[in-house]
Amino acid sequence: MNQFNNTIEFKQSGESKLFNHYCQFFDDFVIEEFRRKHDLDKSFKGHRALMLEIESYVQKRIKYDKKADFYNLVDTLKKLAENDV
């Protein structure tokens, strides 16, 4: 029953199960911090600086097994910082 409810939530949110899985690695405080930094400077330099900061955050604070996991974590935090998901 619970698994069925989760499937409905995923379809309604418009995101994939993989995206929802990687979202679990970031708490609301971290997301809001990166969202605030994203909103401050939307120039190319600002975007590049944000990406470097996200990559550094993931490398230092989150344990991952494969490079694919690293890139998915970085991409997830980037999307969370850019959007109200």
Side-chain angles (χ1 to χ4, degrees):
M1 186 74 152
N2 192 12
Q3 186 177 17
F4 181 73
N5 290 339
N6 288 342
T7 304
I8 291 171
E9 287 176 26
F10 288 140
K11 287 181 181 177
Q12 288 177 347
S13 71
E15 299 297 340
S16 68
K17 287 183 181 182
L18 187 62
F19 180 80
N20 286 311
H21 166 72
Y22 286 115
C23 285
Q24 298 176 78
F25 292 91
F26 308 108
D27 62 15
D28 291 337
F29 177 76
V30 171
I31 294 167
E32 286 304 316
E33 183 71 24
F34 280 103
R35 191 170 286 159
R36 189 173 58 235
K37 290 176 184 179
H38 170 73
D39 289 341
L40 285 175
D41 187 2
K42 294 190 180 207
S43 69
F44 178 76
K45 279 186 172 182
H47 174 74
R48 190 67 199 132
L50 179 68
M51 288 304 298
L52 291 173
E53 196 169 338
I54 287 173
E55 289 174 5
S56 175
Y57 178 87
V58 170
Q59 283 177 341
K60 291 178 183 174
R61 291 176 182 84
I62 300 176
K63 193 170 191 166
Y64 52 89
D65 296 327
K66 300 178 243 171
K67 275 291 191 189
D69 287 336
F70 169 75
Y71 292 118
N72 284 329
L73 286 162
V74 168
D75 190 50
T76 300
L77 186 52
K78 175 186 161 285
K79 285 180 182 177
L80 289 170
E82 292 175 345
N83 301 317
D84 287 328
V85 176

